[in-house]
Amino acid sequence: MSVPQPEDGTPILELRGVDKSFGANQVLHGVDLKVYPGKVTALVGDNGAGKSTLIKSIAGIHPIDGGQVLFDGNPVDISGPRDSARLGIEVVYQDLALADNLDVVQNMFLGRERKNGLLLDEISMEQAARDTLAKLSVRTLKSVRQLVSSLSGGQRQTVAIAKAVLWESKVVILDEPTAALGVAQTRQVLDLVRRLADTGHAVVFISHNMVDVFEVADRVAALYLGRMAADIPISQVNRSQVIELITAGRSGDIGIAPAQAAAVEV
């Protein structure tokens, strides 16, 4: 597994001191995060740590209240989902948002259909879908014209990820992609996540499963009660340390300063 070092250069996506509140409830507190092209960053944290809010802020669903977002080294304003998509950020949410009554091609182009005059350009869309799946070395689908209702959980994840890649994305955020999958299907999805990074994409991999995290991630970013406890190469921590970062915000000399962690817990 490759380990990001300073020579990796500029992060494709960087958050600096990001705050987000809902009314009187501050959910994110000065969050810093760096996401590099060609790397998988595992975003971990307990329920209520702020993972969903952070991802939705990156996606433009929840505009941030403070701090700064940089894309490819340049400050950007993400005030809505279109801004995020225009930059090349795609999110694959846990519910996948696939239409069971449509086939693979139709799902991959849903809402962004290509037309040839007044008619849909089915040939062009089918070829683009095939090319995208081939680029990701996907061999688990019998046909791009299969109805999504006939696919397994792992195959559905594959279609959702391929859909995100199709739109020339640079950052792909995956929300619990292996949740509720069996062993074989989890293996397929983890292999696909790795290939996604190997094709140059920056991948944010949200997971509660430490086995999956250490299997596929290059970096780990641990959120603790809305604060970033650590954002470091995964080679610098072990599984027990990551669990401590998730549950206590600190492990040894890594994480939130003791005084700050105590204040957060109060």
Side-chain angles (χ1 to χ4, degrees):
M1 181 182 297
S2 56
V3 177
Q5 299 294 342
E7 60 266 24
D8 282 329
T10 305
I12 186 70
L13 174 67
E14 182 177 2
L15 275 56
R16 294 180 181 172
V18 166
D19 297 322
K20 180 62 188 176
S21 298
F22 297 100
N25 181 28
Q26 186 168 353
V27 180
L28 300 178
H29 305 258
V31 171
D32 296 332
L33 176 67
K34 293 180 180 179
V35 179
Y36 292 89
K39 307 294 180 186
V40 178
T41 297
L43 179 61
V44 299
D46 212 344
N47 292 332
K51 299 189 303 298
S52 293
T53 300
L54 180 61
I55 293 312
K56 289 179 179 179
S57 296
I58 294 171
I61 296 171
H62 299 321
I64 64 174
D65 299 326
Q68 191 176 40
V69 179
L70 291 88
F71 199 84
D72 216 4
N74 300 308
V76 294
D77 178 27
I78 301 178
S79 56
R82 288 186 179 181
D83 294 333
S84 179
R86 203 158 26 237
L87 290 170
I89 300 171
E90 294 284 340
V91 184
V92 180
Y93 293 102
Q94 197 167 347
D95 63 7
L96 301 183
L98 296 177
D100 280 356
N101 61 322
L102 300 179
D103 65 29
V104 172
V105 175
Q106 291 167 327
N107 267 281
M108 288 177 68
F109 281 89
L110 189 59
R112 301 176 179 177
E113 291 84 358
R114 294 179 181 176
K115 290 188 176 182
N116 187 356
L118 296 176
L119 302 176
L120 292 177
D121 191 347
E122 295 285 358
I123 295 175
S124 170
M125 290 190 292
E126 182 170 324
Q127 188 58 52
R130 291 181 187 278
D131 290 345
T132 301
L133 291 165
K135 177 182 176 182
L136 294 171
S137 302
V138 172
R139 299 183 182 88
T140 56
L141 296 175
K142 293 180 181 177
S143 168
V144 292
R145 288 302 181 182
Q146 279 182 272
L147 290 180
V148 163
S149 59
S150 71
L151 302 180
S152 68
Q155 289 171 324
R156 286 169 182 253
Q157 277 289 350
T158 296
V159 172
I161 292 171
K163 179 179 179 179
V165 172
L166 179 65
W167 302 109
E168 298 181 4
S169 55
K170 297 179 181 178
V171 178
V172 179
I173 301 171
L174 305 174
D175 183 12
E176 297 279 0
T178 58
L181 295 184
V183 174
Q185 293 179 2
T186 294
R187 176 75 270 151
Q188 292 172 9
V189 172
L190 291 179
D191 288 345
L192 181 56
V193 170
R194 192 65 256 170
R195 290 197 296 272
L196 196 54
D198 290 343
T199 55
H201 293 82
V203 182
V204 179
F205 177 79
I206 304 169
S207 181
H208 283 93
N209 189 314
M210 289 300 107
V211 174
D212 292 354
V213 166
F214 276 83
E215 169 94 16
V216 78
D218 300 292
R219 298 182 63 87
V220 61
L223 275 175
Y224 175 70
L225 298 179
R227 290 168 170 81
M228 189 61 73
D231 176 14
I232 56 176
I234 202 164
S235 60
Q236 295 182 8
V237 288
N238 58 39
R239 197 176 306 178
S240 297
Q241 288 174 305
V242 174
I243 292 171
E244 286 181 353
L245 289 168
I246 291 170
T247 57
R250 186 169 182 82
S251 178
D253 59 355
I254 303 171
I256 299 171
Q260 186 183 9
V264 172
E265 291 168 2
V266 173

